[in-house]
């Protein structure tokens, strides 16, 4: 028996003014599954990811987390209405997100970044949150950076703290938006190592990435997007060895000819 | 010319009294100016066109006319409209209306300087907007505007000298009074300048300190 | 409240004379200030402390005392040392020094904002420092220097209002005379504010026109953030 999907996206559309950046996306992600979303820049993959936790508001369609609609609720007659702010925040807390540019809160230490949401959203005691922060810092290999401000950390270290922060609310799903694209090449490895570790632990992961090596090694499934549509979906072995779609073939030729 | 320092030592206690008034007026003007600045920042985002228009006009007038004239307007023109305001209050009102325009720009700049990504990250953690404002935005804006705000306070200490024109007995006016009595103008003016210098120079050092410590955790 | 234009019309000759004096004072002090600002800025950037320290002291003194007190010091202290002083000379001198120091801060910032690597490249090519300044630094810094200079010229005009206190017959002096003859008519307040506003707005407009002509044109926001980085 296969586990039920934890995330379901149905006919999702997004317009930015006149630009139609998501043209009816359908996607299902099962609990424990690792999905890599790939595609050329401007294909809408980051927008799709940001629609999942309602950082971006879709224009049409619906996103379900564990059968709960995120952001917009669809009535019986198909009309959408906005959910309450409190519900949206509750659902968001069940998804962790890691950004391309880390987005650590620069006025807080590494530990404070991790403890912020558990204390103020989750209602955890300071002590329990501190305990949790220690555990997460150990997980990402940065116990010694507990009291460091983000400005004192390298990009790779910042991103690992950001992963720990996203994990602090015990999310059911982790969303990664090009987590290594802003890093110097020599720092990419440490972040991917943490992500692989997380994958081994059974976390459900949706990763927008250009990193073929990571996708090949970790993903259960690759979703390839172009021009706001899902063009091809396949396990990595099939996707990389026998791509079917013409656009996939072109894209793979382009990124495999890149120096790194 | 020989400077006779006994005039300085004689004048100092009087000048000190004036200094206290200068500081009091400047502190009050800074606090009120901060309130005006916050109001302007909020008003600029208002849905009411009239309010936005008024604020644009206010900014333009404050920045386009001399503070000296603004002080005279508050002191002389408002009584003509039936509002009788004492010197000290009139002076503080003029200074804070002037300062508010500049402080609003600092606040706006501080708000813009906070990366949007940090707010995204907070939302993604499930933080509600009031919590994001209190825990993420406000602490950073405060740290960002503290250095320019101390600089603005230095500016207020200096521009409050203009309140001597409407007869407020602050440091500069005190100096003029002392000169009226001793008739030794060079010593008194140099001492007065030195008093302003010490205050402003010290605040300048504080500003640099604050800038440095703010930079410590900015990326 | 009645508002009668006739009061302004009657007082116009007084206002006009004051306006002209303000423009003359600010033009003279502005030009002299700009000329003096370049050596002050270069002295502050100099590697030798015998240049740097005096420039720094001058800058700090001017920045950390009220303009009004500077005017009084110049007007009252100089005569005591035997230097004759009229309100005109004291006014222009005070405005010039004040302007020179603030201009020099902008010029220093603009010099620093020309990428260091370009100076290195010029020196590596065998160009002397003055030649590097003239050919590489100065042409590029125009874009950086104009916006803050524009603001400071506006500041100069506003500061010049203070000179009425030592009886320089400029616009705010004219205004105070009109106040006396009209028994503080509200019209006079409006008129003087509008005149100053028109004057400063004209300068702002002219500077932004000029700015657009420079090769390294940048928006004011960009400039402010750039200068904030190099200031102090």
């Amino acid at each position: 028996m296969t586990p039920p999907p934890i995330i379901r996206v149905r006919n999702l559309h997004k317009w930015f003014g006149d630009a139609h950046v998501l043209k009816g996306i359908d996607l299902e992600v099962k609990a424990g599954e690792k999905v890599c979303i790939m595609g050329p820049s401007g294909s809408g993959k980051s927008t799709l990811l940001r629609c999942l936790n309602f950082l971006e508001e879709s224009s049409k369609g619906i996103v379900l987390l564990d059968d709960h609609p995120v952001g917009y609720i669809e009535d019986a007659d198909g009309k959408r209405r906005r959910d309450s702010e409190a519900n949206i925040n509750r659902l968001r807390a069940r998804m962790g997100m890691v950004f391309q540019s880390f987005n650590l809160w620069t006025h807080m230490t590494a530990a404070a970044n991790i403890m912020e949401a558990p204390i103020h959203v989750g209602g955890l005691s300071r002590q329990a949150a501190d305990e949790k922060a220690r555990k997460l810092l150990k997980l990402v290999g940065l116990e010694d950076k507990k009291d460091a401000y983000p400005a004192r950390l390298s990009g790779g270290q910042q991103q690992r703290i950001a992963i720990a922060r996203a994990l602090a609310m015990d999310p059911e799903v982790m969303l990664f938006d090009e987590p290594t694209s802003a890093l110097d090449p020599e720092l990419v490895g440490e972040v991917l190592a943490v992500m692989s570790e997380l994958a081994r632990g059974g976390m459900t992961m949706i990763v927008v990435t250009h990193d073929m090596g990571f996708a090949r090694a970790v993903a259960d499934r690759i979703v390839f997007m172009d021009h706001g549509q899902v063009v091809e979906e396949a396990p990595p072995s099939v996707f990389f060895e026998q791509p079917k779609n013409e656009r996939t073939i072109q894209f793979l030729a382009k990124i495999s000819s890149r120096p790194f | 010319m020989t400077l006779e320092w006994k005039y300085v030592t004689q004048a100092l206690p009087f000048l000190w009294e004036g200094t206290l008034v200068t500081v009091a007026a400047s502190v009050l003007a800074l606090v009120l100016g901060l309130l005006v600045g916050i109001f302007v920042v909020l008003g600029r985002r208002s849905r009411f066109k009239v309010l936005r228009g008024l604020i644009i006009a206010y900014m333009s007038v404050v920045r386009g006319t001399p503070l000296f004239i603004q002080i005279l307007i508050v002191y002389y023109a408002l009584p003509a409209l039936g509002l009788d305001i004492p010197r000290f209050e009139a002076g503080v009102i003029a200074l804070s209306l002037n300062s508010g325009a500049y402080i609003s720009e600092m606040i706006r700049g501080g708000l813009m300087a906070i990366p949007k990504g940090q707010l995204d990250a907070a939302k993604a953690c499930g933080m509600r907007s009031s919590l994001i404002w209190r825990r993420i935005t406000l602490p950073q804006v405060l740290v960002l505007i503290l250095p320019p705000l101390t600089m603005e306070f230095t500016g207020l200490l200096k521009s409050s000298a203009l309140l001597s024109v409407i007869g407020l007995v602050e440091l500069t006016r005190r100096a003029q009074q002392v000169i009226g009595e001793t008739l030794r103008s060079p010593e008194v003016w140099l001492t007065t300048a030195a008093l302003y210098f010490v205050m402003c120079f010290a605040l300048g050092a504080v500003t640099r300190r604050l800038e440095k410590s703010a930079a410590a955790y900015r990326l | 409240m009645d508002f009668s234009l006739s009061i302004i019309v009657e007082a116009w000759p007084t206002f006009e004379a004051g306006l002209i004096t303000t423009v003359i004072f600010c033009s003279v002090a502005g030009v002299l200030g700009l000329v003096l600002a370049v050596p002050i800025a270069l002295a502050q950037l100099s590697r030798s402390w015998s240049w740097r320290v005096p420039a720094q002291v001058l800058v700090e003194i001017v920045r950390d005392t009220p303009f009004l007190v500077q005017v009084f010091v110049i007007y009252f202290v100089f005569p005591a040392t035997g230097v004759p002083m009229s309100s005109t000379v004291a006014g222009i001198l005070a405005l010039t020094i004040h302007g020179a120091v603030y201009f020099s801060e902008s010029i220093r910032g603009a010099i620093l904002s020309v990428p260091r690597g370009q100076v290195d490249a010029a020196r590596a090519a065998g160009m002397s420092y003055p030649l590097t300044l003239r050919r590489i630094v100065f042409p590029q810094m125009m874009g950086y220097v104009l916006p803050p200079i524009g603001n400071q010229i506006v500041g100069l005009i506003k500061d010049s209002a203070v000179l009425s206190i030592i009886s320089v017959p400029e616009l705010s002096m004219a205004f105070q005379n009109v106040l006396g003859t009209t028994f503080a008519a509200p019209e006079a307040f409006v008129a003087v504010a509008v005149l100053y506003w028109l004057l400063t707005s004209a300068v702002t407009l002219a500077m932004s026109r000029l700015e657009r002509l420079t090769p390294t044109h940048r928006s004011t926001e960009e400039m402010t953030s750039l200068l904030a980085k190099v200031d102090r």
Side-chain angles (χ1 to χ4, degrees):
Chain A
M1 197 189 92
T2 52
I6 185 157
I7 285 203
R8 262 185 296 179
V9 178
R10 280 205 309 253
N11 192 28
L12 201 71
H13 288 263
K14 174 71 183 177
W15 279 270
F16 285 115
D18 290 337
H20 196 182
V21 290
L22 294 182
K23 302 172 183 165
I25 304 285
D26 291 293
L27 183 72
E28 290 198 347
V29 178
K30 291 192 247 334
E33 199 179 11
K34 289 100 186 94
V35 173
C36 281
I37 304 177
M38 304 187 84
S41 52
S43 57
K45 43 193 201 309
S46 283
T47 306
L48 171 60
L49 199 73
R50 291 168 62 85
C51 281
L52 295 185
N53 65 351
F54 208 58
L55 279 188
E56 208 70 74
E57 303 188 13
S58 60
S59 316
K60 205 180 141 192
I62 198 157
V63 173
L64 298 169
L65 171 72
D66 200 15
D67 289 335
H68 297 284
V70 182
Y72 284 111
I73 298 171
E74 221 165 30
D75 288 340
D77 55 350
K79 267 222 162 84
R80 301 197 318 163
R81 64 182 169 83
R82 217 172 187 282
D83 201 358
S84 73
E85 212 55 43
N87 280 338
I88 291 171
N89 289 333
R90 246 194 300 280
L91 287 165
R92 271 179 180 156
R94 293 171 60 182
M95 297 179 259
M97 188 167 200
V98 175
F99 301 84
Q100 181 177 350
S101 49
F102 330 136
N103 296 347
L104 288 181
W105 301 310
T106 41
H107 61 304
M108 296 180 183
T109 63
N113 263 279
I114 299 171
M115 290 157 64
E116 180 66 19
I119 292 177
H120 291 99
V121 179
L124 225 57
S125 72
R126 186 156 283 280
Q127 239 172 350
D130 190 78
E131 191 65 28
K132 183 167 225 165
R134 271 174 212 284
K135 239 188 271 169
L136 287 168
L137 282 165
K138 194 170 171 205
L139 178 78
V140 299
L142 290 171
E143 300 111 302
D144 54 327
K145 299 295 181 194
K146 186 171 177 295
D147 298 317
Y149 281 97
R152 295 248 174 277
L153 300 173
S154 73
Q157 292 171 331
Q158 286 188 58
Q159 194 60 301
R160 281 146 71 196
I161 298 292
I163 293 174
R165 174 177 69 180
L167 287 170
M169 289 298 282
D170 299 319
E172 294 151 55
V173 184
M174 284 286 283
L175 312 174
F176 292 86
D177 188 3
E178 303 201 27
T180 57
S181 297
L183 294 175
D184 291 334
E186 76 271 19
L187 301 177
V188 169
E190 58 187 74
V191 172
L192 291 183
V194 169
M195 289 170 65
S196 304
E197 185 60 39
L198 210 56
R200 263 195 296 281
M203 176 61 77
T204 311
M205 292 166 68
I206 304 175
V207 185
V208 171
T209 185
H210 289 294
D211 197 295
M212 285 173 50
F214 176 79
R216 208 188 283 265
V218 173
D220 298 313
R221 183 160 45 118
I222 312 278
V223 172
F224 180 71
M225 284 180 68
D226 196 15
H227 293 111
Q229 286 168 316
V230 173
V231 174
E232 188 160 351
E233 266 187 89
S237 53
V238 179
F239 181 81
F240 288 113
E241 309 312 330
Q242 304 140 7
K244 292 183 195 67
N245 190 287
E246 188 53 38
R247 282 189 268 178
T248 315
I249 296 167
Q250 276 174 13
F251 175 74
L252 288 175
K254 236 181 245 166
I255 61 170
S256 50
S257 66
R258 274 202 308 217
F260 56 90
Chain B
M1 177 185 82
T2 49
L3 294 170
E4 297 203 31
W5 291 107
K6 68 167 200 243
Y7 293 109
V8 173
T9 43
Q10 276 172 12
L12 258 178
F14 296 100
L15 293 180
W16 179 245
E17 275 171 43
T19 307
L20 293 180
V21 177
T22 289
V23 172
S26 306
V27 170
L28 267 177
L30 186 74
V31 174
L32 290 177
L34 194 57
L35 294 179
V36 173
I38 292 169
F39 176 78
V40 167
V41 171
L42 295 176
R44 283 174 85 134
R45 297 174 171 188
S46 158
R47 280 176 295 128
F48 302 107
K49 255 208 178 117
V50 183
L51 182 60
R52 290 206 307 266
L54 280 174
I55 284 175
I56 290 170
Y58 155 78
M59 295 287 286
S60 182
V61 168
V62 165
R63 293 196 289 191
T65 60
L67 172 61
F68 180 58
I69 299 292
Q70 293 164 18
I71 290 170
L72 294 181
I73 289 178
V74 171
Y75 188 63
Y76 290 108
L78 291 187
L81 298 174
L83 289 163
D84 210 359
I85 316 173
R87 288 192 174 91
F88 184 80
E89 283 80 348
V92 168
I93 288 172
L95 285 184
S96 46
L97 283 178
N98 181 272
S99 214
Y102 296 96
I103 291 176
S104 77
E105 293 287 273
M106 294 172 200
I107 299 174
R108 237 160 57 96
L111 286 172
M112 282 196 300
I114 295 173
K116 213 188 137 283
Q118 289 197 23
L119 307 182
D120 279 348
K123 283 188 213 162
C125 287
M127 291 168 76
R128 61 179 192 281
S129 40
S130 60
L131 187 65
I132 296 175
W133 170 250
R134 188 160 57 81
R135 300 281 311 166
I136 310 294
T137 309
L138 194 61
Q140 298 195 67
V141 169
L142 283 182
V143 170
L144 279 172
I145 69 167
L146 212 53
L149 219 49
T150 24
M151 213 126 91
E152 181 63 22
F153 183 62
T154 318
L156 280 168
L157 284 176
K158 291 189 285 177
S159 47
S160 67
L162 289 174
L163 300 184
S164 62
V165 178
I166 57 170
L168 179 70
V169 189
E170 39 63 76
L171 179 50
T172 302
R173 186 71 178 186
R174 262 277 178 236
Q176 287 169 321
Q177 289 180 341
V178 170
I179 289 165
E181 284 159 23
T182 65
L183 299 174
R184 295 291 300 194
S185 136
E187 288 90 343
V188 176
W189 280 126
L190 290 175
T191 313
T192 306
L195 282 170
Y196 278 111
F197 180 84
V198 168
M199 289 191 285
C200 296
F201 187 79
L203 276 168
V206 171
T207 309
R208 275 172 293 229
R209 251 268 171 69
L210 290 171
E211 273 167 354
K212 235 189 204 158
S213 59
Y217 61 67
R218 297 303 307 174
L219 289 178
Chain C
M1 185 177 93
D2 298 328
F3 193 89
S4 90
L5 268 180
S6 65
I7 291 183
I8 299 174
V9 173
E10 241 169 75
W12 178 247
T14 317
F15 274 131
E16 191 185 15
L19 186 64
I20 290 170
T21 310
T22 291
V23 170
I24 292 174
F25 267 65
C26 291
S27 308
V28 174
V31 171
L32 289 178
L34 273 175
V35 170
L36 284 174
V38 177
I40 296 175
L42 290 177
Q44 277 199 281
L45 292 170
S46 164
R47 235 175 274 151
S48 141
W49 66 267
S50 55
W51 286 104
R52 219 169 45 229
V53 171
Q56 194 63 45
V57 167
L58 175 71
V59 168
E60 285 297 341
I61 288 176
V62 170
R63 284 177 55 127
D64 291 338
T65 52
F67 179 60
L68 177 59
V69 173
Q70 291 164 21
V71 171
F72 282 141
V73 167
I74 289 172
Y75 192 53
F76 292 114
V77 177
F78 275 75
T81 61
V83 182
M85 192 54 70
S86 68
S87 61
T88 304
V89 175
I92 291 207
L93 195 58
L95 264 190
T96 302
I97 295 173
H98 196 66
V101 161
Y102 281 89
F103 291 146
S104 80
E105 294 282 276
S106 313
I107 292 174
R108 189 170 62 99
I111 291 175
L112 286 175
S113 55
V114 173
R116 178 77 216 169
Q118 294 195 22
V119 176
D120 289 344
R123 301 306 300 277
M127 291 167 72
S128 69
Y129 189 60
L131 188 64
T132 307
L133 281 180
R134 197 154 54 80
R135 300 285 310 157
I136 309 296
V137 178
F138 287 160
Q140 295 195 65
M141 66 176 237
M142 288 318 282
Y144 292 97
V145 87
L146 284 178
I149 294 272
N151 283 337
Q152 282 153 1
I153 294 174
V154 168
L156 203 67
I157 294 169
K158 293 194 280 182
D159 285 337
S160 74
V162 167
L163 298 182
S164 61
I165 292 169
I166 55 167
S167 310
V168 173
E170 42 68 76
L171 184 50
S172 68
M173 186 82 217
F175 159 66
Q176 288 166 71
N177 290 338
V178 173
L179 275 190
T181 54
T182 61
F183 305 104
E187 290 83 351
F189 290 97
V190 175
V192 73
V194 167
L195 284 175
Y196 272 114
W197 185 84
L198 285 175
L199 196 55
T200 53
S201 301
V203 169
T204 308
L205 194 69
M207 290 307 283
S208 65
R209 282 280 156 78
L210 198 59
E211 218 179 294
R212 246 173 271 162
L213 298 176
T214 60
T216 46
H217 168 64
R218 283 181 172 76
S219 70
T220 318
E221 281 79 20
E222 221 180 322
M223 278 311 307
T224 330
S225 73
L226 274 171
L227 285 174
K229 278 182 210 150
V230 291
D231 193 23
R232 279 171 176 257

